[in-house]
């Protein structure tokens, strides 16, 4: 791996999204910052202040979906910085909880123990999916195809693929200890990292979860 660029910020970053070559950064002080289109420009501008720890941001259909675990709100902005709608979500999970949007459904760790909540784009609760191995600690999510998400669970030492339509936990992998960041690549691989000094990435098969 080769480092391409670095943007330094005055406080910790816990969520990042990209839209039209602009990077949106969620910070623990409640502010969302955005870069210039020229990513070599290191200055960042304030996009919004959501009033609490920005644990997740996601771009979907020309809107920015934002979650704050401290205010327990999910907010939706357009790219003119207008808050279009929001709804309350009291997640059972602590700290770095993530949301993702897949096939017009907002997926986020649930309001009750060991569940994923699935909302419509307007904030209407559609269902809660049981995830028996889920802890109440740090999690990350990424979209997998048109019907599922990959969930990494730091405390449970597990990475799982969950079908949003059927509610099936398709597989669970325990190859990575204390997993954190997770992303899908070319609909073939799941890339996972954790808290380690070697910048190591584990590569799992997207269909089976095998290393």
């Amino acid at each position: 791996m080769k480092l391409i660029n670095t943007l330094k910020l005055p406080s910790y970053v816990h969520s990042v999204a990209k839209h039209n070559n602009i990077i949106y950064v969620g910070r623990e002080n409640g502010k969302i910052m955005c870069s210039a289109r020229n990513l070599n420009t290191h200055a960042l501008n304030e996009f919004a202040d959501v009033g609490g720890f920005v644990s997740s941001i996601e771009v979907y259909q020309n809107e920015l979906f934002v979650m704050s675990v401290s205010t327990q709100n999910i907010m939706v902005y357009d790219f003119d910085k207008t808050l279009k709608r929001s709804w309350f979500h009291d997640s059972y999970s602590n700290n770095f909880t993530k949301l993702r949007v897949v096939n017009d459904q907002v997926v986020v760790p649930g309001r009750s123990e060991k569940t994923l909540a699935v909302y419509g784009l307007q904030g209407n609760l559609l269902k809660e999916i049981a995830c028996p191995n889920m802890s109440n600690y740090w999690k990350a999510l990424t979209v997998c195809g048109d019907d599922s998400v990959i969930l990494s669970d730091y405390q449970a030492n597990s990475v799982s693929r969950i079908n949003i339509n059927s509610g099936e936990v398709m597989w669970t992998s325990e190859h990575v200890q204390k997993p954190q960041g997770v992303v899908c690549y070319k609909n073939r691989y799941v890339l996972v990292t954790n808290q380690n000094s070697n910048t190591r990435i584990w590569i799992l098969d997207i269909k089976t979860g095998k290393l």
Side-chain angles (χ1 to χ4, degrees):
M1 288 187 291
K2 180 181 178 181
L3 179 65
I4 297 173
N5 197 4
T6 300
L7 296 174
K8 294 189 176 182
L9 298 170
S11 65
Y12 288 117
V13 174
H14 294 290
S15 49
V16 176
K18 186 178 180 183
H19 177 68
N20 287 344
N21 212 35
I22 296 175
I23 295 175
Y24 295 85
V25 177
R27 294 163 59 183
E28 64 178 6
N29 66 354
K31 296 183 185 296
I32 300 172
M33 310 298 291
C34 60
S35 70
R37 291 185 184 275
N38 178 5
L39 299 182
N40 292 321
T41 302
H42 285 225
L44 291 175
N45 302 310
E46 183 174 326
F47 178 84
D49 188 341
V50 305
F53 191 126
V54 184
S55 62
S56 190
I57 52 178
E58 170 84 339
V59 174
Y60 187 78
Q61 292 186 351
N62 213 36
E63 294 181 323
L64 192 67
F65 288 75
V66 180
M67 181 174 180
S68 170
V69 291
S70 50
T71 66
Q72 299 179 330
N73 278 313
I74 295 172
M75 296 148 279
V76 184
Y77 289 85
D78 64 23
F79 289 98
D80 292 325
K81 304 182 180 181
T82 302
L83 178 62
K84 299 181 69 175
R85 58 192 180 277
S86 66
W87 65 91
F88 180 76
H89 175 78
D90 183 11
S91 177
Y92 183 83
S93 297
N94 295 322
N95 294 325
F96 307 109
T97 298
K98 303 297 182 183
L99 69 77
R100 288 294 177 258
V101 188
V102 52
N103 197 19
D104 291 346
Q105 298 172 97
V106 182
V107 184
V108 61
R111 300 176 299 177
S112 54
E113 185 177 8
K114 301 183 185 299
T115 64
L116 283 179
V118 182
Y119 292 96
L121 295 180
Q122 301 301 316
N124 50 310
L125 182 64
L126 301 176
K127 67 179 80 171
E128 288 197 295
I129 297 172
C131 301
N133 295 325
M134 181 186 288
S135 77
N136 67 336
Y137 208 52
W138 300 346
K139 298 179 182 68
L141 279 169
T142 192
V143 173
C144 180
D146 295 327
D147 60 3
S148 59
V149 294
I150 305 292
L151 169 73
S152 75
D153 191 315
Y154 181 91
Q155 190 173 61
N157 290 314
S158 67
V159 179
S160 301
R161 180 174 177 177
I162 301 151
N163 187 294
I164 299 305
N165 295 331
S166 68
E168 176 191 3
V169 179
M170 301 171 67
W171 52 257
T172 296
S173 167
E174 296 180 348
H175 291 296
V176 185
Q177 295 297 299
K178 302 187 184 306
Q180 293 180 316
V182 60
V183 68
C184 292
Y185 181 66
K186 291 190 174 180
N187 210 31
R188 291 183 59 193
Y189 307 108
V190 179
L191 279 61
V192 188
T193 189
N194 68 357
Q195 187 174 353
N196 68 79
S197 59
N198 298 320
T199 323
R200 177 173 292 179
I201 292 176
W202 284 260
I203 302 175
L204 309 179
D205 185 279
I206 204 166
K207 294 182 179 179
T208 65
K210 292 183 178 179
L211 186 66

